[in-house]
Amino acid sequence: MSKPALPELSYPLDALEPFVDARTMGIHHGKHHAAYVNNLIVALDKHPALYEKSVHELVANLETLPDDIRNAVRNNGGGHLNHTLFWEIMSPGAGGDPTGPVAEAITGTFGDYGTLKEKLKAAALGQFGSGWAWLSVAADGKLIVEATANQDSPISKGHSPVIGIDVWEHAYYLQYQNPRANYVDAWFNTVNWSKVNALFLAAQR
Ligand code: MN3
């Protein structure tokens, strides 16, 4: 039974430059993600028995939560999980073509990585306002591209996200201003395929 906490980054704030700049990383992790964690704790403090469940469990079963905190957990529990995944699936010296089992699955489902990138970019650009573009493992074990609004998580739909691209303006505006497409194009250079494979393998059941 422990309260959620802001995870530390496994790389320095400037490690993803030039694709994601240090100032954006610092504010995104230290202010935005931290706020999701703090607001999640404010909500769960009203029903402390819920600390016995993992945040993943809570976000996967929103309908079971008390009415007075369901939306707060949806937004802030989702925000916490989404960003925790986001930091882990990026790394310095990464990007390039997919490797390992997820590479085979991408080829099998989408034909090639270029097609997947086009679909992810379309999902990222098509998400009106704030949200995320995802590569997820659906309940039937197949890879799918999807988008969610705000901090909604694929986990709430029974999906297992393996790539998430944060398309909130806070993720790119300081560096890229309005052209979201430029950020998304650059972002692909940060994909940590080793972590994506770990998530993909964990999602097989
Ligand atoms: Mn964000």
Side-chain angles (χ1 to χ4, degrees):
M1 175 149 157
S2 61
K3 296 196 176 188
L6 182 66
E8 284 192 28
L9 296 174
S10 65
Y11 41 78
L13 292 177
D14 63 358
L16 303 177
E17 290 191 353
F19 311 116
V20 184
D21 72 291
R23 187 162 168 242
T24 299
M25 285 295 294
I27 296 170
H28 198 175
H29 176 261
K31 305 290 184 189
H32 290 278
H33 188 170
Y36 297 125
V37 172
N38 292 338
N39 290 330
L40 177 61
I41 290 170
V42 168
L44 294 178
D45 277 348
K46 295 175 186 162
H47 299 274
L50 293 174
Y51 284 122
E52 284 167 32
K53 297 179 187 286
S54 68
V55 180
H56 187 288
E57 235 178 316
L58 300 176
V59 170
N61 299 284
L62 292 174
E63 69 287 351
T64 66
L65 297 177
D67 288 343
D68 64 325
I69 64 163
R70 184 178 301 114
N71 218 39
V73 173
R74 177 179 176 180
N75 291 332
N76 297 292
H80 178 39
L81 294 183
N82 293 346
H83 286 85
T84 299
L85 177 140
F86 188 60
W87 313 131
E88 291 179 351
I89 58 144
M90 295 189 288
S91 71
D97 288 331
T99 56
V102 81
E104 283 174 45
I106 287 168
T107 305
T109 303
F110 302 102
D112 55 48
Y113 179 46
T115 304
L116 169 61
K117 280 209 281 192
E118 280 170 28
K119 287 180 187 292
L120 275 170
K121 187 174 175 183
L125 301 187
Q127 174 55 43
F128 182 77
S130 296
W132 291 75
W134 302 98
L135 177 67
S136 303
V137 179
D140 63 2
K142 297 262 169 59
L143 285 175
I144 55 165
V145 170
E146 60 187 331
T148 59
N150 303 313
Q151 293 298 348
D152 287 353
S153 168
I155 291 166
S156 301
K157 297 193 270 187
H159 301 169
S160 303
V162 301
I163 289 178
I165 310 176
D166 188 342
V167 296
W168 283 57
E169 283 188 344
H170 69 224
Y172 63 88
Y173 201 87
L174 284 174
Q175 185 179 3
Y176 293 93
Q177 290 78 51
N178 56 303
R180 188 184 280 183
N182 295 352
Y183 155 70
V184 173
D185 286 339
W187 187 86
F188 285 111
N189 293 297
T190 69
V191 182
N192 173 1
W193 289 111
S194 142
K195 181 64 187 182
V196 174
N197 269 296
L199 292 167
F200 176 70
L201 291 175
Q204 308 303 312
R205 56 201 156 199

Short mmCIF file of all heavy atoms in Angstrom, two decimals, residues 6-63:
data_model
loop_
_atom_site.label_atom_id
_atom_site.label_comp_id
_atom_site.label_asym_id
_atom_site.label_seq_id
_atom_site.Cartn_x
_atom_site.Cartn_y
_atom_site.Cartn_z
N LEU A 6 6.13 10.37 -8.48
CA LEU A 6 6.70 10.75 -9.78
C LEU A 6 7.95 9.91 -10.03
O LEU A 6 8.88 9.93 -9.23
CB LEU A 6 7.08 12.24 -9.75
CG LEU A 6 7.64 12.83 -11.05
CD1 LEU A 6 6.58 12.84 -12.16
CD2 LEU A 6 8.18 14.24 -10.80
N PRO A 7 7.97 9.13 -11.13
CA PRO A 7 9.17 8.32 -11.41
C PRO A 7 10.32 9.22 -11.88
O PRO A 7 10.09 10.23 -12.53
CB PRO A 7 8.72 7.40 -12.54
CG PRO A 7 7.61 8.13 -13.23
CD PRO A 7 6.95 8.98 -12.18
N GLU A 8 11.53 8.83 -11.53
CA GLU A 8 12.68 9.59 -12.04
C GLU A 8 12.94 9.21 -13.48
O GLU A 8 12.69 8.07 -13.88
CB GLU A 8 13.92 9.27 -11.19
CG GLU A 8 13.89 9.97 -9.86
CD GLU A 8 15.23 9.88 -9.14
OE1 GLU A 8 16.27 9.78 -9.82
OE2 GLU A 8 15.22 9.91 -7.90
N LEU A 9 13.44 10.17 -14.25
CA LEU A 9 13.84 9.86 -15.62
C LEU A 9 15.13 9.06 -15.60
O LEU A 9 15.98 9.29 -14.74
CB LEU A 9 14.05 11.16 -16.41
CG LEU A 9 12.83 12.05 -16.61
CD1 LEU A 9 13.25 13.36 -17.28
CD2 LEU A 9 11.78 11.34 -17.46
N SER A 10 15.29 8.15 -16.56
CA SER A 10 16.51 7.35 -16.59
C SER A 10 17.60 8.00 -17.44
O SER A 10 18.63 7.39 -17.71
CB SER A 10 16.19 5.95 -17.14
OG SER A 10 15.78 6.05 -18.48
N TYR A 11 17.33 9.24 -17.88
CA TYR A 11 18.32 9.98 -18.69
C TYR A 11 18.21 11.46 -18.33
O TYR A 11 17.18 11.89 -17.81
CB TYR A 11 18.06 9.76 -20.19
CG TYR A 11 16.59 9.79 -20.58
CD1 TYR A 11 15.91 11.00 -20.71
CD2 TYR A 11 15.88 8.61 -20.78
CE1 TYR A 11 14.56 11.04 -21.03
CE2 TYR A 11 14.52 8.63 -21.11
CZ TYR A 11 13.88 9.85 -21.24
OH TYR A 11 12.54 9.88 -21.55
N PRO A 12 19.27 12.23 -18.61
CA PRO A 12 19.22 13.67 -18.30
C PRO A 12 18.17 14.40 -19.15
O PRO A 12 17.78 13.91 -20.22
CB PRO A 12 20.63 14.17 -18.64
CG PRO A 12 21.47 12.96 -18.81
CD PRO A 12 20.57 11.83 -19.17
N LEU A 13 17.75 15.58 -18.68
CA LEU A 13 16.71 16.34 -19.38
C LEU A 13 17.08 16.69 -20.82
O LEU A 13 16.22 16.82 -21.68
CB LEU A 13 16.40 17.64 -18.61
CG LEU A 13 15.72 17.47 -17.25
CD1 LEU A 13 15.55 18.84 -16.58
CD2 LEU A 13 14.37 16.78 -17.39
N ASP A 14 18.39 16.85 -21.08
CA ASP A 14 18.80 17.25 -22.43
C ASP A 14 19.16 16.05 -23.32
O ASP A 14 19.62 16.22 -24.44
CB ASP A 14 19.99 18.23 -22.38
CG ASP A 14 21.23 17.61 -21.77
OD1 ASP A 14 21.20 16.41 -21.35
OD2 ASP A 14 22.26 18.31 -21.69
N ALA A 15 18.90 14.83 -22.82
CA ALA A 15 19.37 13.63 -23.52
C ALA A 15 18.65 13.40 -24.85
O ALA A 15 19.18 12.73 -25.73
CB ALA A 15 19.20 12.40 -22.63
N LEU A 16 17.44 13.94 -24.98
CA LEU A 16 16.66 13.67 -26.20
C LEU A 16 16.79 14.79 -27.23
O LEU A 16 16.13 14.77 -28.26
CB LEU A 16 15.19 13.45 -25.86
CG LEU A 16 14.92 12.31 -24.85
CD1 LEU A 16 13.43 12.23 -24.53
CD2 LEU A 16 15.42 10.98 -25.39
N GLU A 17 17.66 15.77 -26.92
CA GLU A 17 17.89 16.84 -27.90
C GLU A 17 18.60 16.25 -29.12
O GLU A 17 19.38 15.31 -28.97
CB GLU A 17 18.72 17.96 -27.28
CG GLU A 17 17.91 18.71 -26.23
CD GLU A 17 18.57 20.01 -25.75
OE1 GLU A 17 19.73 20.26 -26.13
OE2 GLU A 17 17.92 20.75 -25.02
N PRO A 18 18.37 16.73 -30.34
CA PRO A 18 17.58 17.92 -30.65
C PRO A 18 16.08 17.65 -30.83
O PRO A 18 15.33 18.55 -31.15
CB PRO A 18 18.18 18.36 -31.99
CG PRO A 18 18.51 17.07 -32.67
CD PRO A 18 18.98 16.16 -31.54
N PHE A 19 15.63 16.42 -30.59
CA PHE A 19 14.25 16.05 -30.95
C PHE A 19 13.25 16.58 -29.92
O PHE A 19 12.16 17.01 -30.26
CB PHE A 19 14.14 14.53 -31.11
CG PHE A 19 15.22 13.98 -32.00
CD1 PHE A 19 16.17 13.10 -31.51
CD2 PHE A 19 15.30 14.39 -33.32
CE1 PHE A 19 17.19 12.62 -32.33
CE2 PHE A 19 16.32 13.92 -34.15
CZ PHE A 19 17.26 13.03 -33.65
N VAL A 20 13.62 16.48 -28.63
CA VAL A 20 12.81 17.06 -27.56
C VAL A 20 13.78 17.85 -26.68
O VAL A 20 14.75 17.28 -26.16
CB VAL A 20 12.10 15.98 -26.72
CG1 VAL A 20 11.19 16.64 -25.69
CG2 VAL A 20 11.30 15.03 -27.61
N ASP A 21 13.55 19.14 -26.53
CA ASP A 21 14.53 19.99 -25.85
C ASP A 21 14.40 19.89 -24.33
O ASP A 21 13.36 19.51 -23.78
CB ASP A 21 14.40 21.44 -26.32
CG ASP A 21 13.15 22.09 -25.78
OD1 ASP A 21 12.06 21.70 -26.21
OD2 ASP A 21 13.27 22.97 -24.90
N ALA A 22 15.50 20.24 -23.66
CA ALA A 22 15.60 20.08 -22.21
C ALA A 22 14.56 20.89 -21.45
O ALA A 22 14.03 20.44 -20.43
CB ALA A 22 17.01 20.47 -21.74
N ARG A 23 14.24 22.09 -21.94
CA ARG A 23 13.27 22.94 -21.24
C ARG A 23 11.90 22.29 -21.26
O ARG A 23 11.19 22.24 -20.24
CB ARG A 23 13.26 24.32 -21.89
CG ARG A 23 12.42 25.33 -21.17
CD ARG A 23 12.80 26.75 -21.59
NE ARG A 23 11.80 27.69 -21.09
CZ ARG A 23 11.04 28.45 -21.88
NH1 ARG A 23 11.18 28.40 -23.20
NH2 ARG A 23 10.15 29.26 -21.35
N THR A 24 11.51 21.78 -22.43
CA THR A 24 10.23 21.07 -22.54
C THR A 24 10.21 19.86 -21.61
O THR A 24 9.24 19.64 -20.88
CB THR A 24 9.98 20.62 -23.99
OG1 THR A 24 9.92 21.78 -24.83
CG2 THR A 24 8.69 19.83 -24.12
N MET A 25 11.29 19.09 -21.62
CA MET A 25 11.35 17.90 -20.77
C MET A 25 11.24 18.27 -19.29
O MET A 25 10.52 17.61 -18.53
CB MET A 25 12.68 17.14 -20.99
CG MET A 25 12.75 16.35 -22.28
SD MET A 25 11.57 14.97 -22.36
CE MET A 25 12.20 13.90 -21.08
N GLY A 26 11.93 19.32 -18.88
CA GLY A 26 11.93 19.71 -17.48
C GLY A 26 10.54 20.10 -17.00
O GLY A 26 10.09 19.68 -15.92
N ILE A 27 9.86 20.92 -17.79
CA ILE A 27 8.51 21.37 -17.41
C ILE A 27 7.52 20.21 -17.51
O ILE A 27 6.66 20.03 -16.64
CB ILE A 27 8.08 22.55 -18.30
CG1 ILE A 27 9.01 23.75 -18.06
CG2 ILE A 27 6.62 22.94 -18.05
CD1 ILE A 27 8.82 24.90 -19.05
N HIS A 28 7.67 19.42 -18.57
CA HIS A 28 6.73 18.32 -18.81
C HIS A 28 6.79 17.29 -17.68
O HIS A 28 5.76 16.90 -17.12
CB HIS A 28 7.08 17.68 -20.16
CG HIS A 28 6.00 16.86 -20.77
ND1 HIS A 28 6.11 16.29 -22.02
CD2 HIS A 28 4.78 16.49 -20.31
CE1 HIS A 28 5.00 15.63 -22.30
NE2 HIS A 28 4.18 15.72 -21.28
N HIS A 29 8.00 16.89 -17.34
CA HIS A 29 8.16 15.89 -16.28
C HIS A 29 7.96 16.51 -14.89
O HIS A 29 7.17 16.02 -14.09
CB HIS A 29 9.56 15.25 -16.39
CG HIS A 29 9.86 14.28 -15.29
ND1 HIS A 29 10.63 14.62 -14.19
CD2 HIS A 29 9.50 12.98 -15.11
CE1 HIS A 29 10.73 13.57 -13.39
NE2 HIS A 29 10.06 12.57 -13.92
N GLY A 30 8.66 17.61 -14.63
CA GLY A 30 8.69 18.16 -13.28
C GLY A 30 7.45 18.92 -12.87
O GLY A 30 7.18 19.06 -11.67
N LYS A 31 6.70 19.45 -13.85
CA LYS A 31 5.48 20.21 -13.53
C LYS A 31 4.22 19.46 -13.94
O LYS A 31 3.34 19.22 -13.12
CB LYS A 31 5.51 21.58 -14.23
CG LYS A 31 6.72 22.42 -13.92
CD LYS A 31 6.74 22.93 -12.48
CE LYS A 31 7.95 23.85 -12.25
NZ LYS A 31 8.11 24.17 -10.83
N HIS A 32 4.11 19.10 -15.22
CA HIS A 32 2.87 18.47 -15.69
C HIS A 32 2.67 17.07 -15.09
O HIS A 32 1.63 16.78 -14.50
CB HIS A 32 2.84 18.41 -17.22
CG HIS A 32 2.67 19.76 -17.85
ND1 HIS A 32 1.44 20.37 -18.01
CD2 HIS A 32 3.58 20.63 -18.34
CE1 HIS A 32 1.61 21.55 -18.58
NE2 HIS A 32 2.90 21.74 -18.79
N HIS A 33 3.67 16.21 -15.25
CA HIS A 33 3.51 14.85 -14.71
C HIS A 33 3.38 14.91 -13.19
O HIS A 33 2.53 14.22 -12.61
CB HIS A 33 4.68 13.96 -15.14
CG HIS A 33 4.48 12.51 -14.79
ND1 HIS A 33 5.30 11.51 -15.26
CD2 HIS A 33 3.57 11.87 -14.00
CE1 HIS A 33 4.89 10.33 -14.79
NE2 HIS A 33 3.85 10.52 -14.01
N ALA A 34 4.17 15.75 -12.57
CA ALA A 34 4.08 15.87 -11.10
C ALA A 34 2.68 16.29 -10.66
O ALA A 34 2.16 15.80 -9.65
CB ALA A 34 5.12 16.88 -10.59
N ALA A 35 2.04 17.16 -11.44
CA ALA A 35 0.69 17.61 -11.09
C ALA A 35 -0.32 16.46 -11.20
O ALA A 35 -1.22 16.34 -10.36
CB ALA A 35 0.27 18.78 -11.98
N TYR A 36 -0.16 15.61 -12.21
CA TYR A 36 -1.07 14.45 -12.31
C TYR A 36 -0.92 13.55 -11.08
O TYR A 36 -1.91 13.08 -10.52
CB TYR A 36 -0.79 13.64 -13.59
CG TYR A 36 -1.03 14.41 -14.86
CD1 TYR A 36 -0.04 14.54 -15.83
CD2 TYR A 36 -2.26 15.03 -15.10
CE1 TYR A 36 -0.26 15.26 -17.01
CE2 TYR A 36 -2.49 15.75 -16.27
CZ TYR A 36 -1.48 15.86 -17.22
OH TYR A 36 -1.71 16.58 -18.37
N VAL A 37 0.31 13.33 -10.66
CA VAL A 37 0.56 12.48 -9.48
C VAL A 37 -0.07 13.12 -8.24
O VAL A 37 -0.78 12.46 -7.48
CB VAL A 37 2.07 12.24 -9.29
CG1 VAL A 37 2.33 11.52 -7.97
CG2 VAL A 37 2.65 11.44 -10.45
N ASN A 38 0.19 14.41 -8.05
CA ASN A 38 -0.34 15.09 -6.86
C ASN A 38 -1.86 15.09 -6.85
O ASN A 38 -2.49 14.86 -5.81
CB ASN A 38 0.19 16.52 -6.78
CG ASN A 38 1.70 16.54 -6.51
OD1 ASN A 38 2.26 15.57 -5.99
ND2 ASN A 38 2.36 17.63 -6.88
N ASN A 39 -2.48 15.35 -7.99
CA ASN A 39 -3.94 15.39 -8.05
C ASN A 39 -4.55 14.00 -7.90
O ASN A 39 -5.66 13.86 -7.38
CB ASN A 39 -4.40 16.06 -9.34
CG ASN A 39 -4.10 17.55 -9.34
OD1 ASN A 39 -4.07 18.18 -8.28
ND2 ASN A 39 -3.83 18.11 -10.50
N LEU A 40 -3.83 12.97 -8.35
CA LEU A 40 -4.29 11.60 -8.13
C LEU A 40 -4.31 11.29 -6.63
O LEU A 40 -5.26 10.70 -6.11
CB LEU A 40 -3.37 10.62 -8.88
CG LEU A 40 -3.68 9.13 -8.71
CD1 LEU A 40 -5.09 8.79 -9.21
CD2 LEU A 40 -2.64 8.28 -9.45
N ILE A 41 -3.27 11.73 -5.94
CA ILE A 41 -3.20 11.50 -4.48
C ILE A 41 -4.33 12.25 -3.77
O ILE A 41 -4.97 11.69 -2.87
CB ILE A 41 -1.81 11.92 -3.95
CG1 ILE A 41 -0.75 10.91 -4.45
CG2 ILE A 41 -1.80 12.00 -2.43
CD1 ILE A 41 0.69 11.32 -4.20
N VAL A 42 -4.61 13.47 -4.18
CA VAL A 42 -5.73 14.23 -3.58
C VAL A 42 -7.03 13.44 -3.72
O VAL A 42 -7.83 13.34 -2.78
CB VAL A 42 -5.86 15.63 -4.25
CG1 VAL A 42 -7.17 16.31 -3.86
CG2 VAL A 42 -4.66 16.51 -3.87
N ALA A 43 -7.25 12.84 -4.90
CA ALA A 43 -8.48 12.06 -5.13
C ALA A 43 -8.48 10.79 -4.28
O ALA A 43 -9.46 10.49 -3.59
CB ALA A 43 -8.60 11.71 -6.62
N LEU A 44 -7.37 10.04 -4.29
CA LEU A 44 -7.33 8.75 -3.59
C LEU A 44 -7.36 8.93 -2.07
O LEU A 44 -7.83 8.04 -1.35
CB LEU A 44 -6.10 7.95 -4.02
CG LEU A 44 -6.10 7.50 -5.49
CD1 LEU A 44 -4.82 6.75 -5.83
CD2 LEU A 44 -7.33 6.64 -5.80
N ASP A 45 -6.89 10.09 -1.59
CA ASP A 45 -6.95 10.35 -0.15
C ASP A 45 -8.40 10.34 0.36
O ASP A 45 -8.64 10.12 1.55
CB ASP A 45 -6.28 11.69 0.19
CG ASP A 45 -4.76 11.58 0.32
OD1 ASP A 45 -4.26 10.44 0.38
OD2 ASP A 45 -4.09 12.63 0.37
N LYS A 46 -9.36 10.57 -0.54
CA LYS A 46 -10.77 10.53 -0.13
C LYS A 46 -11.26 9.10 0.04
O LYS A 46 -12.31 8.87 0.65
CB LYS A 46 -11.63 11.25 -1.18
CG LYS A 46 -11.33 12.73 -1.29
CD LYS A 46 -12.14 13.37 -2.43
CE LYS A 46 -11.71 14.82 -2.62
NZ LYS A 46 -12.12 15.35 -3.93
N HIS A 47 -10.54 8.14 -0.57
CA HIS A 47 -10.91 6.72 -0.48
C HIS A 47 -9.63 5.90 -0.32
O HIS A 47 -9.23 5.18 -1.23
CB HIS A 47 -11.67 6.29 -1.75
CG HIS A 47 -12.94 7.04 -1.97
ND1 HIS A 47 -14.13 6.66 -1.40
CD2 HIS A 47 -13.19 8.16 -2.69
CE1 HIS A 47 -15.08 7.51 -1.76
NE2 HIS A 47 -14.55 8.43 -2.55
N PRO A 48 -8.96 6.03 0.85
CA PRO A 48 -7.61 5.46 1.01
C PRO A 48 -7.53 3.95 0.79
O PRO A 48 -6.44 3.44 0.50
CB PRO A 48 -7.22 5.83 2.44
CG PRO A 48 -8.30 6.69 2.99
CD PRO A 48 -9.42 6.78 2.03
N ALA A 49 -8.64 3.25 0.90
CA ALA A 49 -8.59 1.80 0.65
C ALA A 49 -8.13 1.52 -0.78
O ALA A 49 -7.56 0.45 -1.07
CB ALA A 49 -9.96 1.16 0.89
N LEU A 50 -8.35 2.49 -1.68
CA LEU A 50 -7.95 2.28 -3.08
C LEU A 50 -6.43 2.26 -3.27
O LEU A 50 -5.94 1.82 -4.31
CB LEU A 50 -8.59 3.35 -3.97
CG LEU A 50 -10.12 3.27 -4.10
CD1 LEU A 50 -10.65 4.45 -4.89
CD2 LEU A 50 -10.53 1.96 -4.76
N TYR A 51 -5.68 2.73 -2.26
CA TYR A 51 -4.21 2.63 -2.36
C TYR A 51 -3.75 1.18 -2.39
O TYR A 51 -2.62 0.90 -2.76
CB TYR A 51 -3.53 3.38 -1.20
CG TYR A 51 -3.54 4.88 -1.36
CD1 TYR A 51 -4.12 5.69 -0.40
CD2 TYR A 51 -2.94 5.49 -2.46
CE1 TYR A 51 -4.12 7.08 -0.53
CE2 TYR A 51 -2.93 6.86 -2.61
CZ TYR A 51 -3.52 7.66 -1.64
OH TYR A 51 -3.52 9.03 -1.78
N GLU A 52 -4.63 0.26 -2.00
CA GLU A 52 -4.25 -1.15 -2.07
C GLU A 52 -4.21 -1.66 -3.51
O GLU A 52 -3.65 -2.71 -3.79
CB GLU A 52 -5.20 -1.99 -1.22
CG GLU A 52 -4.92 -1.85 0.26
CD GLU A 52 -6.01 -2.40 1.15
OE1 GLU A 52 -6.67 -3.37 0.75
OE2 GLU A 52 -6.20 -1.83 2.24
N LYS A 53 -4.86 -0.95 -4.40
CA LYS A 53 -4.84 -1.34 -5.82
C LYS A 53 -3.76 -0.55 -6.55
O LYS A 53 -3.41 0.56 -6.16
CB LYS A 53 -6.20 -1.06 -6.46
CG LYS A 53 -7.35 -1.87 -5.85
CD LYS A 53 -8.65 -1.50 -6.53
CE LYS A 53 -9.84 -2.14 -5.85
NZ LYS A 53 -9.95 -3.59 -6.10
N SER A 54 -3.26 -1.13 -7.65
CA SER A 54 -2.31 -0.39 -8.46
C SER A 54 -3.05 0.66 -9.28
O SER A 54 -4.26 0.54 -9.52
CB SER A 54 -1.56 -1.35 -9.40
OG SER A 54 -2.47 -1.86 -10.37
N VAL A 55 -2.34 1.69 -9.71
CA VAL A 55 -2.97 2.72 -10.55
C VAL A 55 -3.46 2.08 -11.85
O VAL A 55 -4.51 2.43 -12.38
CB VAL A 55 -1.98 3.88 -10.82
CG1 VAL A 55 -2.64 4.94 -11.69
CG2 VAL A 55 -1.50 4.49 -9.52
N HIS A 56 -2.70 1.12 -12.35
CA HIS A 56 -3.11 0.39 -13.56
C HIS A 56 -4.47 -0.27 -13.36
O HIS A 56 -5.37 -0.16 -14.20
CB HIS A 56 -2.04 -0.66 -13.90
CG HIS A 56 -2.26 -1.36 -15.21
ND1 HIS A 56 -3.26 -2.29 -15.41
CD2 HIS A 56 -1.61 -1.26 -16.38
CE1 HIS A 56 -3.20 -2.73 -16.67
NE2 HIS A 56 -2.22 -2.12 -17.27
N GLU A 57 -4.64 -0.91 -12.21
CA GLU A 57 -5.91 -1.57 -11.89
C GLU A 57 -7.06 -0.56 -11.83
O GLU A 57 -8.17 -0.82 -12.29
CB GLU A 57 -5.77 -2.24 -10.52
CG GLU A 57 -6.09 -3.70 -10.46
CD GLU A 57 -5.87 -4.25 -9.05
OE1 GLU A 57 -4.83 -3.92 -8.43
OE2 GLU A 57 -6.74 -4.99 -8.58
N LEU A 58 -6.78 0.60 -11.22
CA LEU A 58 -7.82 1.63 -11.09
C LEU A 58 -8.24 2.15 -12.46
O LEU A 58 -9.43 2.28 -12.77
CB LEU A 58 -7.32 2.79 -10.22
CG LEU A 58 -6.93 2.46 -8.78
CD1 LEU A 58 -6.36 3.70 -8.09
CD2 LEU A 58 -8.12 1.90 -8.00
N VAL A 59 -7.24 2.43 -13.31
CA VAL A 59 -7.52 3.01 -14.63
C VAL A 59 -8.17 1.97 -15.55
O VAL A 59 -8.97 2.30 -16.42
CB VAL A 59 -6.23 3.61 -15.23
CG1 VAL A 59 -6.41 4.01 -16.69
CG2 VAL A 59 -5.79 4.82 -14.41
N ALA A 60 -7.86 0.69 -15.32
CA ALA A 60 -8.47 -0.38 -16.12
C ALA A 60 -9.92 -0.63 -15.72
O ALA A 60 -10.67 -1.26 -16.47
CB ALA A 60 -7.66 -1.67 -15.96
N ASN A 61 -10.32 -0.15 -14.55
CA ASN A 61 -11.66 -0.45 -14.03
C ASN A 61 -12.33 0.82 -13.51
O ASN A 61 -12.84 0.85 -12.38
CB ASN A 61 -11.56 -1.49 -12.91
CG ASN A 61 -10.97 -2.80 -13.40
OD1 ASN A 61 -11.64 -3.58 -14.08
ND2 ASN A 61 -9.70 -3.02 -13.10
N LEU A 62 -12.36 1.85 -14.33
CA LEU A 62 -12.91 3.14 -13.90
C LEU A 62 -14.35 3.02 -13.41
O LEU A 62 -14.77 3.73 -12.50
CB LEU A 62 -12.85 4.15 -15.07
CG LEU A 62 -11.45 4.60 -15.50
CD1 LEU A 62 -11.56 5.46 -16.76
CD2 LEU A 62 -10.76 5.37 -14.38
N GLU A 63 -15.11 2.10 -14.03
CA GLU A 63 -16.53 1.99 -13.69
C GLU A 63 -16.74 1.49 -12.25
O GLU A 63 -17.82 1.67 -11.69
CB GLU A 63 -17.26 1.09 -14.71
CG GLU A 63 -16.90 -0.40 -14.68
CD GLU A 63 -15.51 -0.73 -15.24
OE1 GLU A 63 -14.85 0.16 -15.83
OE2 GLU A 63 -15.07 -1.89 -15.08
#
